[in-house]
Amino acid sequence: MQERSRPRIGVLGGTFDPPHFGHLAAALEVRHRLRLSVVLMVVANDPWQKSGLRPVTPAPARLEMVRAAVRDLSGIEASSVEIDRGGESYTVDTLTELASRHPGAELMLVIGSDIAGGLDTWKRPDELRELSTIVVVDRAGRSGGRPPQGWPALVVEAPALDISSCDIRARFADGRPVEALVPAAVADVVRSRGLYGCCR
Ligand code: ATP
Ligand code: MG
């Protein structure tokens, strides 16, 4: 049997406001199932699909939370590539940059099933498709979402954790428990920075 020689790098982009166990379960499962060298959790600088809708936590604080979330996990890393680039964050630009940093690697773009159906609306979709292999992670309660026709994708079933950043922000705001939803190190950053209205 021939050994696979191209290293595979997973790219899980997100706002991560905050990162939670759903993100980590997805990243770990995909890394294990697809034998990825690493999964990069790429923190969006300016998530153009969200920034008009609600105030997004400043990027450095979201990066600090992702770093805290992955600190004890091997093979999962926080990436500041979009923050370092600045401006609006487009995945196609990120994949272009990662491809030049890691020549010969296969880039695996990991997305939750809740957003898979919208891939056609992302910037420069044809380039995006060329640059990466799409991996859809089934997301609890929002499963079944698949890329549009013409987007071949691998599907990975991760442990179904019905957790969202949106719910966690509301929980911090009104003091409900979060300990089973986010790593303690993430909750520490939220409290020390006074994010989500938790300490006001
Ligand atoms: P929000 O509630 O603010 O939209 P979110 O929980 O959806 O936040 P994002 O930062 O939007 O988190 O998600 C980044 C990526 O992680 C997306 O591809 C999303 O589909 C995926 N994802 C988020 N939560 C889960 C989960 N519980 N299980 C699997 N994938 C998830
Ligand atoms: Mg979301």
Side-chain angles (χ1 to χ4, degrees), residues 124-161:
R124 312 208 304 272
D126 291 340
E127 275 177 65
L128 193 73
R129 197 170 14 208
E130 286 297 308
L131 282 162
S132 64
T133 302
I134 309 289
V135 180
V136 177
V137 180
D138 257 329
R139 186 167 176 180
R142 313 168 193 210
S143 60
R146 293 289 178 262
Q149 253 201 329
W151 289 83
L154 303 171
V155 176
V156 170
E157 306 276 339
L161 298 179

Side-chain angles (χ1 to χ4, degrees), residues 91-163:
T91 302
V92 67
D93 296 328
T94 302
L95 292 174
T96 302
E97 189 160 342
L98 291 174
S100 74
R101 282 191 200 181
H102 305 280
E106 182 179 3
L107 299 177
M108 317 289 287
L109 179 63
V110 183
I111 56 175
S113 53
D114 57 312
I115 61 171
L119 273 172
D120 269 345
T121 68
W122 293 24
K123 199 180 176 196
R124 312 208 304 272
D126 291 340
E127 275 177 65
L128 193 73
R129 197 170 14 208
E130 286 297 308
L131 282 162
S132 64
T133 302
I134 309 289
V135 180
V136 177
V137 180
D138 257 329
R139 186 167 176 180
R142 313 168 193 210
S143 60
R146 293 289 178 262
Q149 253 201 329
W151 289 83
L154 303 171
V155 176
V156 170
E157 306 276 339
L161 298 179
D162 192 3
I163 303 177

Side-chain angles (χ1 to χ4, degrees), residues 12-19 23 41-44 62 65-66 165 196:
L12 172 61
T15 311
F16 303 122
D17 193 11
H23 298 130
M41 288 178 60
V42 180
V43 181
R62 289 182 287 111
M65 290 191 282
V66 175
S165 300
Y196 313 129

Side-chain angles (χ1 to χ4, degrees), residues 1-2 6 23 36 38 54 61 82 89 125 141 154 167 183 194-195:
M1 202 168 62
Q2 213 185 348
R6 283 178 85 192
H23 298 130
L36 308 183
V38 66
R54 65 172 178 86
E82 293 186 351
S89 300
L154 303 171
D167 175 56
L195 304 176

Side-chain angles (χ1 to χ4, degrees), residues 46-97:
D46 179 355
W48 55 280
Q49 287 167 311
K50 281 182 181 166
S51 42
L53 305 176
R54 65 172 178 86
V56 173
T57 301
R62 289 182 287 111
L63 178 62
E64 186 185 348
M65 290 191 282
V66 175
R67 285 192 171 136
V70 304
R71 194 170 295 145
D72 297 328
L73 301 178
S74 68
I76 314 290
E77 291 175 12
S79 168
S80 63
V81 58
E82 293 186 351
I83 296 173
D84 299 341
R85 191 167 68 237
E88 290 186 329
S89 300
Y90 296 109
T91 302
V92 67
D93 296 328
T94 302
L95 292 174
T96 302
E97 189 160 342

